[in-house]
Amino acid sequence: MNIAVIGGHSCCADVAKIAESIGKEVARMGATLICGGLTGVMEAACKGAKSVGGKTIGILPGHDKDEANPYIDIPIVTGLGYMRNNLIVKNADIIIAIDGKEGTLSEIAFALQMKKPTLGIDTWDIPGVIQVKDAQEAVDWIKRRQ
Amino acid sequence: MNIAVIGGHSCCADVAKIAESIGKEVARMGATLICGGLTGVMEAACKGAKSVGGKTIGILPGHDKDEANPYIDIPIVTGLGYMRNNLIVKNADIIIAIDGKEGTLSEIAFALQMKKPTLGIDTWDIPGVIQVKDAQEAVDWIKRRQ
Amino acid sequence: MNIAVIGGHSCCADVAKIAESIGKEVARMGATLICGGLTGVMEAACKGAKSVGGKTIGILPGHDKDEANPYIDIPIVTGLGYMRNNLIVKNADIIIAIDGKEGTLSEIAFALQMKKPTLGIDTWDIPGVIQVKDAQEAVDWIKRRQ
Amino acid sequence: MNIAVIGGHSCCADVAKIAESIGKEVARMGATLICGGLTGVMEAACKGAKSVGGKTIGILPGHDKDEANPYIDIPIVTGLGYMRNNLIVKNADIIIAIDGKEGTLSEIAFALQMKKPTLGIDTWDIPGVIQVKDAQEAVDWIKRRQ
């Protein structure tokens, strides 16, 4: 199972902490964490996943795999810019949005369009997004659903 | 100038009427109407534009230009599926969203990300979208800005 | 009918002359000329088409429509880089390759893959490409086929 | 290091044997094998890589990761059709072409355009492709270069 963690490439310390917790939980469930491969929420989630031995994939907007954050195992360069947001969602079974701006909104839109389960923590309040308050609640939701 | 009209591929008669009015006004301003090339809001807007001699471009999701609605002058096939939403916005100077579901939301997200003026009529209430009540108000906004 | 003219973004004067002749003939047949929108063979072909009142579409690799050569009527920006080569071919009914390097080779490959008629003048010698010696021979081939 | 093995989705037994040998050697060098994820040359190469404990990535043209051959560790769906050929090459440090038709030719073209080392076995004879006769010769070339 691939779980996407989406959110901004910059974020405050509190959001990073939530993202790191989510990353840990994703890895503990045995899922692969997929994301946009950059900094901010993406990096914090990957750091969490790697801290407990998880696996991470980063779908990068540019042509240079060195743009991936240091916790990405499998960087995939695309040269697609923000169109790559669609690929992140396409490759995920479940999407967890944390905070984020317009880029994250485009990913939420694609996730809902593809009718994939989409959880949200402190993020866009869009009908269809299952709002949860923290990593634990997200994981509980996912486990109940399996 | 290219003005994108975005919205769902199916819509009710009232929304179609608004889209048709918008299409007319876009053409009367001398702008080219760009859209996703399909039915619903897209077709109604193109019908409006063509009724007053305007020019229309349709950026299609599939490989077959015959999928374009009958009011498209320049069909561009992409085979990109919903990733083509990004191209519609990229090719527009101003975006007008009418009604619409998740596909339209993804276009609004990309439009805001690209910092392009984005007007909305009966559509997603996203910060940054300039909400207007009808075609006239949309055109007034655009003319004031020029 | 859309006819793609493909070839390098730089070329010698002799090749430009051929491209310009081809552009004229494409327009005289009533076809729309589609190309990558840039300089070299693309610009020469568009110049020819416009000199006799033809219509031209440029599918650009970048995000800036001002990168289009001055003879492009409808610039379409993509941000897809060389992946846009596939879109040029996808939107053409017939492809004419003139000179060109690896980019042109990728377009010839896609054209043959899509089983579209592909003519070549002083270009890659790939099985399936119909080699002709000049604009007149290319046009004769196209007219015989219609 | 990522090494792409490119070739047709169907191939004869002899070609499959070569592809399997290449896959083994790629894995033995400690490189990750990247390919289009489907059958034929791609599957044979992945089978070889997995038989010696290698790692494989498949960049798929469609939306369904179950289209990946059984030897793919990391399937990446794209929905890009043959445009995904460009992504395979973009993610490789070295490209090895075996046999193949127009799809393979498009990948060779992109590889040469990106100025990446491109080896060929029984494939298109394009200037710039380093023709080798078998897996051993390919590996020798790569090792000498490192």
Side-chain angles (χ1 to χ4, degrees):
Chain A
M1 183 170 64
N2 286 348
I3 297 182
V5 176
I6 60 174
H9 55 79
S10 71
C11 67
C12 67
D14 283 357
V15 167
K17 205 171 154 190
I18 293 170
E20 195 174 335
S21 299
I22 287 281
K24 271 186 198 169
E25 294 301 332
V26 165
R28 280 176 182 144
M29 277 189 287
T32 296
L33 191 155
I34 189 163
C35 70
L38 299 177
T39 51
V41 162
M42 301 170 255
E43 179 164 350
C46 290
K47 186 179 176 187
K50 294 309 295 176
S51 73
V52 296
K55 192 167 71 172
T56 59
I57 299 174
I59 309 284
L60 294 159
H63 293 83
D64 181 1
K65 68 179 163 186
D66 293 338
E67 286 174 356
N69 71 59
Y71 307 102
I72 291 292
D73 295 324
I74 313 277
I76 303 287
V77 298
T78 66
L80 289 168
Y82 284 111
M83 269 186 274
R84 74 81 154 83
N85 292 5
N86 183 281
L87 294 191
I88 297 167
V89 175
K90 237 173 215 162
N91 281 284
D93 300 292
I94 295 173
I95 289 89
I96 304 174
I98 307 170
D99 191 55
K101 298 189 176 168
E102 289 83 4
T104 303
L105 181 59
S106 74
E107 290 164 327
I108 289 172
F110 285 130
L112 295 172
Q113 194 176 48
M114 297 180 204
K115 301 192 186 307
K116 296 192 175 185
T118 307
L119 307 178
I121 302 178
D122 281 338
T123 190
W124 295 89
D125 183 21
I126 302 293
V129 176
I130 299 139
Q131 304 288 347
V132 294
K133 67 174 197 296
D134 57 20
Q136 192 54 53
E137 205 180 312
V139 170
D140 288 347
W141 190 93
I142 294 169
K143 285 186 176 163
R144 274 199 311 275
R145 195 172 164 278
Q146 285 176 318
Chain B
M1 185 170 64
N2 287 347
I3 296 181
V5 176
I6 61 174
H9 56 80
S10 71
C11 66
C12 67
D14 283 357
V15 167
K17 205 171 155 189
I18 293 169
E20 196 175 335
S21 299
I22 286 280
K24 271 186 200 170
E25 294 301 331
V26 165
R28 281 176 182 147
M29 277 189 287
T32 296
L33 191 155
I34 189 163
C35 70
L38 300 177
T39 52
V41 162
M42 301 170 256
E43 180 163 350
C46 291
K47 187 179 175 187
K50 293 309 296 176
S51 73
V52 296
K55 191 165 72 172
T56 59
I57 299 174
I59 309 284
L60 294 159
H63 294 82
D64 182 0
K65 67 180 163 184
D66 293 337
E67 285 173 358
N69 72 60
Y71 307 103
I72 292 290
D73 295 322
I74 312 278
I76 304 287
V77 299
T78 67
L80 289 168
Y82 285 111
M83 269 186 277
R84 75 79 155 86
N85 293 5
N86 183 282
L87 293 192
I88 297 166
V89 175
K90 238 174 215 159
N91 281 284
D93 299 293
I94 294 173
I95 288 90
I96 303 174
I98 307 170
D99 192 56
K101 297 191 175 168
E102 288 83 4
T104 303
L105 181 59
S106 74
E107 291 164 326
I108 289 172
F110 284 131
L112 295 173
Q113 194 176 49
M114 297 180 204
K115 301 192 186 309
K116 296 192 175 185
T118 307
L119 306 179
I121 301 178
D122 282 337
T123 189
W124 295 88
D125 183 21
I126 301 294
V129 175
I130 299 140
Q131 304 289 347
V132 293
K133 66 171 200 297
D134 57 20
Q136 192 53 52
E137 205 180 313
V139 170
D140 288 348
W141 190 94
I142 293 169
K143 285 186 176 163
R144 273 199 311 276
R145 196 173 164 278
Q146 284 176 319
Chain C
M1 184 170 63
N2 286 348
I3 297 182
V5 176
I6 61 175
H9 56 79
S10 71
C11 67
C12 67
D14 283 357
V15 167
K17 205 171 155 188
I18 293 169
E20 196 175 334
S21 299
I22 286 280
K24 272 186 198 170
E25 294 300 332
V26 165
R28 281 177 182 144
M29 277 190 287
T32 296
L33 191 154
I34 189 163
C35 69
L38 299 177
T39 51
V41 161
M42 301 170 255
E43 179 164 349
C46 291
K47 187 179 175 186
K50 293 310 295 176
S51 72
V52 296
K55 192 166 71 172
T56 59
I57 299 173
I59 310 283
L60 294 159
H63 293 83
D64 182 1
K65 68 179 163 184
D66 293 337
E67 286 175 357
N69 72 59
Y71 307 102
I72 291 292
D73 295 323
I74 313 277
I76 303 287
V77 298
T78 67
L80 289 167
Y82 284 112
M83 269 186 275
R84 74 81 155 82
N85 292 5
N86 183 281
L87 294 192
I88 298 167
V89 175
K90 237 173 214 161
N91 280 284
D93 300 292
I94 295 174
I95 289 89
I96 304 174
I98 307 170
D99 192 55
K101 298 190 174 166
E102 288 83 5
T104 303
L105 181 60
S106 74
E107 291 164 327
I108 289 172
F110 285 130
L112 295 172
Q113 195 176 47
M114 297 180 205
K115 300 192 187 309
K116 296 192 175 184
T118 307
L119 306 179
I121 301 178
D122 282 338
T123 189
W124 295 88
D125 183 21
I126 301 294
V129 175
I130 300 139
Q131 304 288 345
V132 294
K133 68 172 198 299
D134 57 20
Q136 192 53 52
E137 206 180 310
V139 170
D140 288 348
W141 189 94
I142 293 170
K143 286 186 176 163
R144 275 199 311 276
R145 196 172 165 278
Q146 285 175 317
Chain D
M1 184 169 63
N2 287 347
I3 297 181
V5 177
I6 59 174
H9 56 79
S10 69
C11 66
C12 68
D14 283 358
V15 166
K17 205 171 155 189
I18 293 170
E20 196 174 335
S21 300
I22 286 280
K24 272 186 198 170
E25 295 300 332
V26 165
R28 281 176 182 144
M29 277 189 287
T32 296
L33 191 154
I34 190 162
C35 70
L38 300 177
T39 52
V41 161
M42 300 170 254
E43 180 163 351
C46 291
K47 187 179 176 187
K50 293 310 294 177
S51 73
V52 296
K55 192 166 73 173
T56 59
I57 299 174
I59 309 284
L60 294 159
H63 293 83
D64 182 1
K65 68 180 163 184
D66 293 338
E67 285 174 357
N69 72 59
Y71 307 103
I72 292 291
D73 296 322
I74 313 277
I76 304 287
V77 298
T78 66
L80 289 168
Y82 285 112
M83 269 186 276
R84 74 79 154 86
N85 292 6
N86 183 281
L87 294 191
I88 297 166
V89 175
K90 237 174 215 162
N91 281 284
D93 299 292
I94 295 173
I95 289 88
I96 304 174
I98 307 170
D99 192 54
K101 297 189 176 168
E102 288 84 5
T104 304
L105 181 59
S106 74
E107 291 164 327
I108 289 172
F110 285 131
L112 295 172
Q113 194 176 49
M114 297 180 205
K115 301 192 186 310
K116 296 192 175 185
T118 307
L119 306 178
I121 302 178
D122 282 337
T123 190
W124 295 88
D125 184 20
I126 302 293
V129 175
I130 299 139
Q131 303 289 346
V132 294
K133 67 173 199 298
D134 58 20
Q136 192 53 53
E137 205 181 311
V139 170
D140 288 347
W141 189 94
I142 293 169
K143 286 186 176 164
R144 272 199 312 276
R145 195 172 165 279
Q146 285 176 318

